[in-house]
């Protein structure tokens, strides 16, 4: 067991940082930064696998499924973080994208030792969420061998749900239980075994790409603008105003506010309303018929052929 763990890339000694305790502060910071520079290139190498994961996830969500991140420790916290950002950013139902961490919410702030070593705990947690065959489980573990995460992937496969694995070691145990396996190899950590560093950065980048691309393909953006945001406070209302002014190329703030008020501050509806002059009821119908894509809703309203986005 010890040899197995020590053989993992994430547990090996980084020869670039063996003297880090004798370095000056500037040297340490520079050293860490130099190691971090390699992460984006490591992620670039697994773009094909990320694409496959997005395609699988989009299909699952279109069929009424959910995206559920599962992990322990740093990996679990990153999954919970990404899931928690989806409702305010894309106005998703809190149940659509969820994050589950071994040990529960208390583990977000305090380490719960040993909880990641039990496959059955993951199954229990997923059963509490009523995991079903339409869902997709995304297991995150730098080591690629965390029992809690493997248990989640196994259970997903057993009930017919899709399973995606994200690891920072090659040929990981998670591979056997994943429909898509993303193995991003960032090399030994600055501090040996501290996977909250490069491994954590790589995992966060992949989760950001995965969830963001999925939401774009579900019609949650217009161009590169957040049009499905929740306007729940002053700052977000100001952002909604700026977005509408940017899209319409109209600098009349009072007019933008008036349109947003007509749609109860729904930016997506406000854009279609401005561009088409339809009634609110018609705007909502066209958005429904277009599955939420603003471009398509506008084209439908104006009787044009929709220029469908690339797959």
């Amino acid at each position: 067991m010890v040899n197995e763990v020590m053989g993992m890339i994430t547990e090996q000694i980084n020869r670039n940082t063996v003297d880090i305790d004798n370095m000056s502060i500037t040297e340490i910071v520079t050293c860490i930064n130099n190691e971090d520079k390699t992460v984006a290139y490591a992620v670039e190498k697994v773009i094909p696998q990320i694409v496959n994961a997005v395609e699988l996830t989009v299909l699952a969500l279109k069929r009424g499924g959910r995206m559920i991140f599962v992990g322990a420790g740093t990996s679990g916290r990153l999954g919970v973080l990404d899931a928690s950002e989806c409702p305010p950013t894309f106005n998703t139902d809190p149940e659509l994208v969820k994050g589950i961490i071994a040990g529960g919410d208390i583990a977000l702030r305090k380490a719960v030792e040993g909880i990641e070593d039990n496959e059955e705990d993951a199954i229990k947690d997923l059963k509490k969420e009523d995991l079903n065959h339409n869902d997709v489980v995304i297991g995150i573990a730098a080591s690629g061998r965390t029992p809690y995460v493997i248990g989640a992937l196994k259970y997903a496969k057993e009930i017919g749900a899709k399973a995606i694995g994200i690891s920072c070691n090659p040929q990981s145990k998670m591979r056997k239980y994943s429909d898509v396996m993303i193995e991003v190899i960032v090399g030994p950590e600055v501090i040996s075994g501290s996977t909250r560093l490069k491994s954590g950065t790589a995992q966060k980048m992949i989760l950001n790409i995965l969830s963001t691309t999925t939401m774009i393909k579900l019609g949650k953006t217009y161009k590169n603008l957040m049009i499905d945001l929740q306007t729940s406070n002053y700052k977000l209302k100001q952002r909604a105003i700026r977005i509408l002014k940017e899209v319409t190329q109209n600098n009349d703030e009072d007019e933008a506010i008036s349109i947003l008020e007509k749609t109860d501050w729904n930016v997506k509806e406000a854009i279609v309303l401005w561009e088409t002059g339809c009634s609110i009821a018609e705007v909502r119908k066209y958005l429904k018929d277009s599955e939420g894509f603003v471009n398509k809703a506008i084209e439908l309203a104006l009787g044009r052929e929709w220029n469908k986005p690339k797959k």
Side-chain angles (χ1 to χ4, degrees), residues 101-204:
I101 181 171
D105 285 353
I106 191 174
L108 292 171
R109 295 179 178 273
K110 184 178 180 180
V112 181
E113 301 300 338
I115 193 68
E116 67 180 54
D117 295 331
N118 194 327
E119 292 187 16
E120 292 301 318
D121 283 340
I123 296 172
K124 290 176 184 176
D125 289 342
L126 287 173
K127 284 183 175 180
K128 289 178 184 176
E129 297 293 338
D130 294 321
L131 187 75
N132 66 76
H133 68 280
N134 290 318
D135 298 328
V136 55
V137 171
I138 301 165
I140 317 159
S143 68
R145 61 178 297 281
T146 305
Y148 183 87
V149 177
I150 288 176
L153 295 173
K154 280 184 180 179
Y155 181 63
K157 297 284 284 181
E158 285 174 8
I159 67 168
K162 295 300 181 182
I164 296 169
I166 302 174
S167 167
C168 296
N169 279 289
Q171 300 300 317
S172 64
K173 287 187 176 181
M174 290 163 57
R175 177 186 286 260
K176 180 179 179 181
Y177 309 104
S178 301
D179 294 296
V180 177
M181 188 67 216
I182 303 169
E183 293 172 332
V184 53
I185 312 305
V186 296
E189 297 288 0
V190 171
I191 304 299
S192 179
S194 182
T195 53
R196 70 185 183 86
L197 298 173
K198 291 192 295 182
S199 296
T201 300
Q203 289 172 337
K204 187 177 191 305

Side-chain angles (χ1 to χ4, degrees), residues 231-271:
T231 51
S232 55
N233 58 38
Y234 176 80
K235 180 189 78 172
L236 293 174
K237 285 187 175 181
Q238 289 299 307
R239 181 178 294 167
I241 294 168
R242 289 197 304 273
I243 289 173
L244 187 58
K245 288 167 65 177
E246 171 70 23
V247 169
T248 62
Q249 294 295 296
N250 185 342
N251 290 321
D252 189 332
E253 187 161 315
D254 289 338
E255 188 170 11
I257 292 172
S258 175
I259 293 171
L260 285 162
E261 286 177 341
K262 289 179 182 177
T263 62
D264 294 325
W265 290 85
N266 184 305
V267 179
K268 185 177 282 188
E269 292 179 3
I271 293 171

